[in-house]
Every structure is written in structure tokens, then in C-alpha cells.
């Protein structure tokens, strides 16, 4: 589009520069051809020759002055007026010189500075043209004057129509140019936005990678806590019993439990390192895994533990099942270490849109607001359970009071 505009400007510049010479040359050639008929006297031909020379000199002066192509001013308007006067005089001598008068139609906007007076230029140029069309000036008959008036009217009506469409086309061109310029600015702004978006995306990828690394560290730490730490806690508890057990048979039984816990914890640790679901879910579904976990815990600590299912059991996403099982294991481990409970109840409820897990004990309880900060030797405990639930858009709440037991409740989306 820009190349087309430049080509059009070059053609317009060529027309402005060579148009007067071409039209003057055409008028001179035709006038010379019919000179004996239309310009029979030597004085008339001499006048025509002098006027042609004056027109050429005027054009050369205007070009050499460097005013061609500049914004219109009073000097350019004077040039336009003198040129019209020469064309009128030439047309008076010979009507074929009206070709030279027509040049005023093409460059009036480039030479007349005041817009409201520009209509005078084409109107003035139409006078010698209408006179030439009526048979040449001066007129000697009434019919020629009548014909001149009619031709002058028709020429100006045509000029008005052409000027109207030319003006509207120019307005459309300006509007189109403004639209193109606006589109270019918009494209530039869009490209800048795309560049900024690409930079932001790269930054977000870096942040997401860092967040993923941190989250994976927390997950692995929680997995290790849920496997090795809990298993070692159970083994220590069994070994303590063995240390104070005088009966060899009973001590051997506790050693067997400790050995089973060690093997189970080792398998869980391997599964966690491989980033797989808890071992209990590898071969069983969630419900059998929960029942086995609760039964094993009850046998290990000699505490009554009941499991209750409410609602219609549904197949859950692996991450949801793993989270429920891990929360259950952590809550039972906390109950064994801190609650000194005589009874624990685990309830799994399938409801509309969510699955709920509730673990209650009748132990000594505690004040949730007075929990100490997690130390380097402590477990992940409540923080770990809550983080697991929140990682899959769930929640975890703890209700407890010294002397009245503890209730851990988790709500997860039913996926």
C-alpha cells in the first residue's frame, strides 16, 4: 500500500511538472496547423508566438524558483493568475490554445492557498474553454453568446460533479490512510504485548518450575514421614514392649510385629520414591486398604478401632484415594503417639460432590491453638495432613479439647 501511494505521488509530480508544457505544446501545434484560417494576420501570429514564449519563461521561472511542490502561498497564487491570463490571451488569439487553459484544473489545490477561493480557479479556466467551444473569441453574433453561456454552465456543472466525487474520494483516502496508520500502531502495540506476554510466560514457567520443585520436596518429605517415620515409630513401640517383657513367647510375638512393620515401611518407602500411590492401594481399592490399615493399627497398639462407610462407595481418582489413606495413617499415628485413646472411629462418607473422612478418638485431647511450632525432630502431623488435602482442593479441620478427645475431618472433591 505504501509503495502504491509513492508511485501515485510520483505520477502526480510528473503531471504537475510537465503538464503545462505538454498542453501548451499541443495548443501551439494545433494553432500552427490552422493558423491561416484562425490567425490570418502576421500581427496575430506574432502575438501568439510572444505569448507562448512568455508562458514558457513563466513556467521555467516557477520551477527554478524552487516553489514547485511547496505549500501554496501568495506567490504561487500569483503564478496561477498570470498563467491563466496568458492562456486567456492565447485562446483569444486562437481557440486551440484553450488546451493550455485546462492545466488550471489539475493544480489549483497546489497553488491557491485559501480553500474557499479555490473554486474561482476552475471557473476562470472554464471561460476560455467555453469560448473555444463556442467557436472562438471575440463573439460577433448573439447565438455565439448564447452558446457560450450554455457551455459555460455545462462545464461548471460538470466541474462541480467531478469536484464533489474527487473531494469525497480524497476524504476516503485520508480516512483509509488514517485507518492504516491506526492499524500499524495497533499492530505495533500488539507486538509489544506479545513480546511482553512471551517474557511473562517465560517468567511464569521459571516460577512454576521453582514452585513445582518446592512442592515436590514437600511431597517427598511428607511421603517419607508417612512411611519410614511412622514405621520406625511402630518398631520402636514394639521394641520397648520387648524390652520390658519377661515372657519369651510374648517378646517373640512383638519382635515379629516389629519385623513386619520394618518390611512394610521399606516397601512403602520404595513406592514413595517411585512417586506411586501408597502400597496399600497398589493391589487393593481404597476401602480394603483403609480396613487393612485400621485393623493392622488396632492389632499393633491393642486399641479398638472401628471403620464405618456411609453413602454409596464410588471409584475415586488415585490422588484422592492416596490422600484419604495417608490422612488416615497420619491421624492413627498421632492417636497412638499422643492421645492414649481406648477407642478410635474412622468414618468414610460419600456425599454429593465430595467425600468426607472423619477420625475420632476418646483420648486426652489438646488445645489446637496451643500447638508448638514444628521442630526438626517432629513429624509433619496436622500440617502435613492439611497440605495434602489442600493440594487437591480439599480441606481439613481439627476439633479437640483437653480431656475430650480429638476429631479430624477432611473434605475432598468427589473426583
Amino acid at each position: 500500500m505504501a509503495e502504491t501511494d509513492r508511485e501515485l505521488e510520483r505520477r502526480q509530480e510528473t503531471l504537475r511538472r510537465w503538464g503545462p508544457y505538454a498542453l501548451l505544446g499541443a495548443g501551439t501545434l494545433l494553432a500552427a496547423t490552422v493558423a491561416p484560417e484562425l490567425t490570418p494576420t502576421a500581427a496575430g501570429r506574432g502575438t501568439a508566438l510572444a505569448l507562448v514564449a512568455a508562458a514558457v519563461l513563466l513556467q521555467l521561472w516557477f520551477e527554478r524558483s524552487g516553489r514547485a511542490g511547496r505549500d501554496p502561498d501568495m506567490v504561487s497564487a500569483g503564478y496561477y493568475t498570470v498563467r491563466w491570463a496568458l492562456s486567456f490571451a492565447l485562446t483569444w488569439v486562437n481557440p486551440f490554445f484553450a488546451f493550455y487553459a485546462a492545466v488550471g484544473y489539475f493544480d489549483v489545490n497546489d497553488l491557491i492557498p485559501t480553500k474557499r477561493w479555490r473554486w474561482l480557479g476552475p471557473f476562470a479556466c472554464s471561460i476560455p474553454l467555453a469560448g473555444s467551444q463556442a467557436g472562438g473569441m471575440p463573439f460577433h453574433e448573439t447565438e455565439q453568446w448564447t452558446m457560450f453561456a450554455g457551455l459555460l454552465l455545462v462545464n461548471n456543472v460538470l466541474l462541480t460533479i467531478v469536484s464533489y466525487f474527487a473531494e469525497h474520494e480524497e476524504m476516503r483516502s485520508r480516512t483509509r490512510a488514517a485507518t492504516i496508520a491506526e492499524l500499524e500502531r495497533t499492530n505495533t502495540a500488539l507486538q509489544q504485548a506479545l513480546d511482553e506476554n512471551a517474557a511473562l510466560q517465560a517468567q511464569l514457567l521459571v516460577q512454576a518450575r521453582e514452585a513445582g520443585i518446592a512442592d515436590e520436596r514437600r511431597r517427598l518429605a511428607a511421603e517419607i514421614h508417612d512411611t519410614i517415620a511412622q514405621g520406625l515409630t511402630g518398631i520402636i513401640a514394639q521394641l520397648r514392649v520387648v524390652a520390658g517383657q519377661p515372657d519369651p513367647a510374648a517378646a517373640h510375638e512383638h519382635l515379629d510385629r516389629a519385623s513386619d512393620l520394618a518390611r512394610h515401611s521399606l516397601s512403602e518407602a520404595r513406592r514413595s520414591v517411585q512417586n506411586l500411590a501408597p502400597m496399600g492401594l497398589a493391589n487393593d481399592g481404597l476401602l480394603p486398604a483403609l480396613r487393612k490399615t485400621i485393623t493392622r493399627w488396632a492389632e499393633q497398639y491393642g486399641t479398638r478401632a472401628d471403620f464405618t462407610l456411609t453413602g454409596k462407595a464410588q471409584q475415586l481418582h488415585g490422588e484422592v484415594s492416596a490422600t484419604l489413606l495417608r490422612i488416615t495413617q497420619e491421624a492413627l499415628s498421632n492417636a497412638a503417639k499422643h492421645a492414649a485413646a481406648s477407642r478410635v472411629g474412622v468414618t468414610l462418607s460419600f456425599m454429593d460432590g465430595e467425600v468426607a473422612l472423619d477420625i475420632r478418638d476418646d483420648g486426652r485431647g489438646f488445645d489446637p491453638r496451643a500447638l508448638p511450632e514444628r521442630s526438626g525432630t517432629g513429624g509433619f502431623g496436622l500440617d502435613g495432613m492439611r497440605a495434602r488435602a489442600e493440594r487437591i482442593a480439599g480441606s481439613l479441620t481439627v476439633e479437640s479439647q483437653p480431656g475430650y478427645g480429638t476429631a479430624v475431618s477432611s473434605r475432598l472433591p468427589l473426583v
Side-chain angles (χ1 to χ4, degrees):
M1 180 63 70
E3 182 63 29
T4 302
D5 292 340
R6 286 193 292 269
E7 180 63 24
L8 181 59
E9 291 177 358
R10 285 195 293 267
R11 292 180 179 179
Q12 290 175 345
E13 179 62 28
T14 301
L15 178 62
R16 284 193 296 265
R17 181 177 181 181
W18 299 106
Y21 294 112
L23 292 175
L24 180 61
T28 303
L29 179 61
L30 292 172
T33 303
V34 297
E37 291 81 7
L38 300 180
T39 314
T41 64
R45 290 192 292 270
T47 301
L49 183 60
L51 291 173
V52 169
V56 173
L57 291 175
L58 176 67
Q59 191 66 29
L60 290 174
W61 167 81
F62 186 71
E63 290 182 3
R64 297 294 176 84
S65 65
R67 296 187 176 274
R70 293 185 181 180
D71 292 335
D73 53 16
M74 297 306 297
V75 176
S76 63
Y79 158 76
Y80 186 91
T81 304
V82 174
R83 189 183 65 186
W84 173 84
L86 290 173
S87 68
F88 182 84
L90 283 167
T91 306
W92 188 278
V93 173
N94 190 305
F96 280 105
F97 282 109
F99 283 103
Y100 183 52
V103 73
Y105 288 149
F106 303 110
D107 55 6
V108 60
N109 292 331
D110 299 323
L111 299 176
I112 305 299
T114 307
K115 187 175 182 180
R116 64 177 179 175
W117 297 111
R118 286 176 183 171
W119 65 272
L120 286 175
F123 176 76
C125 293
S126 68
I127 294 175
L129 285 170
S132 175
Q133 293 166 353
M137 299 179 288
F139 304 131
H140 303 288
E141 299 178 0
T142 305
E143 291 79 4
Q144 285 184 302
W145 282 103
T146 303
M147 186 180 299
F148 169 76
L151 289 170
L152 185 63
L153 176 62
V154 171
N155 284 337
N156 280 277
V157 169
L158 292 176
L159 280 174
T160 302
I161 294 174
V162 172
S163 299
Y164 172 81
F165 285 108
E167 183 177 355
H168 279 71
E169 183 62 28
E170 184 179 358
M171 291 178 59
R172 289 178 57 187
S173 298
R174 288 197 297 266
T175 303
R176 186 162 51 247
T179 302
I180 293 173
E182 182 64 26
L183 286 175
E184 290 178 350
R185 289 192 294 270
T186 302
N187 288 336
T188 302
L190 179 60
Q191 186 60 45
Q192 293 177 351
L194 290 175
D195 294 340
E196 293 175 359
N197 184 61
L200 179 60
Q201 185 177 7
Q203 183 179 359
L204 290 176
L205 286 175
V206 173
Q207 293 177 352
R209 188 180 297 111
E210 294 175 351
I213 293 173
D215 185 69
E216 184 66 12
R217 288 174 177 173
R218 288 192 296 268
R219 187 194 67 79
L220 289 176
E223 288 288 341
I224 293 172
H225 169 263
D226 291 340
T227 56
I228 298 176
Q230 291 182 6
L232 291 176
T233 299
I235 292 171
I236 292 172
Q238 296 298 326
L239 292 179
R240 284 178 178 174
V241 174
V242 171
Q245 181 60 254
D247 184 7
H252 188 270
E253 180 181 354
H254 286 290
L255 287 174
D256 289 340
R257 291 180 180 177
S259 179
D260 291 339
L261 282 172
R263 284 192 294 269
H264 178 76
S265 298
L266 179 60
S267 298
E268 285 279 6
R270 288 171 176 170
R271 292 283 182 173
S272 298
V273 170
Q274 296 173 2
N275 196 24
L276 298 176
M279 185 177 180
L281 297 175
N283 301 316
D284 302 318
L286 175 63
L287 297 181
L290 284 175
R291 289 191 175 95
K292 288 182 180 180
T293 298
I294 295 170
T295 300
R296 187 184 299 112
W297 182 87
E299 292 175 353
Q300 176 180 345
Y301 293 101
T303 303
R304 178 180 174 181
D306 300 318
F307 175 70
T308 304
L309 173 66
T310 62
K312 184 178 180 180
Q314 301 184 39
Q315 184 69 27
L316 296 176
H317 188 277
E319 187 67 20
V320 177
S321 298
T323 300
L324 291 172
L325 181 58
R326 290 305 192 197
I327 290 176
T328 301
Q329 291 171 339
E330 177 64 20
L332 291 176
S333 177
N334 289 340
K337 289 188 290 185
H338 308 296
S342 62
R343 182 176 179 180
V344 175
V346 179
T347 301
L348 182 66
S349 304
F350 287 88
M351 298 175 289
D352 293 336
E354 68 177 6
V355 58
L357 176 67
D358 299 288
I359 302 102
R360 304 169 308 280
D361 66 65
D362 60 356
R364 61 170 61 98
F366 65 96
D367 184 0
R369 296 171 298 179
L371 285 177
E373 294 292 333
R374 184 168 63 88
S375 64
T377 59
F380 278 76
L382 298 178
D383 291 339
M385 289 189 289
R386 184 172 290 108
R388 284 184 176 276
E390 293 176 351
R391 188 180 300 131
I392 56 173
S395 63
L396 186 136
T397 58
V398 178
E399 296 180 3
S400 184
Q401 187 176 351
Y404 292 93
T406 301
V408 177
S409 179
S410 178
R411 298 291 186 271
L412 303 180
L414 188 60
V415 181

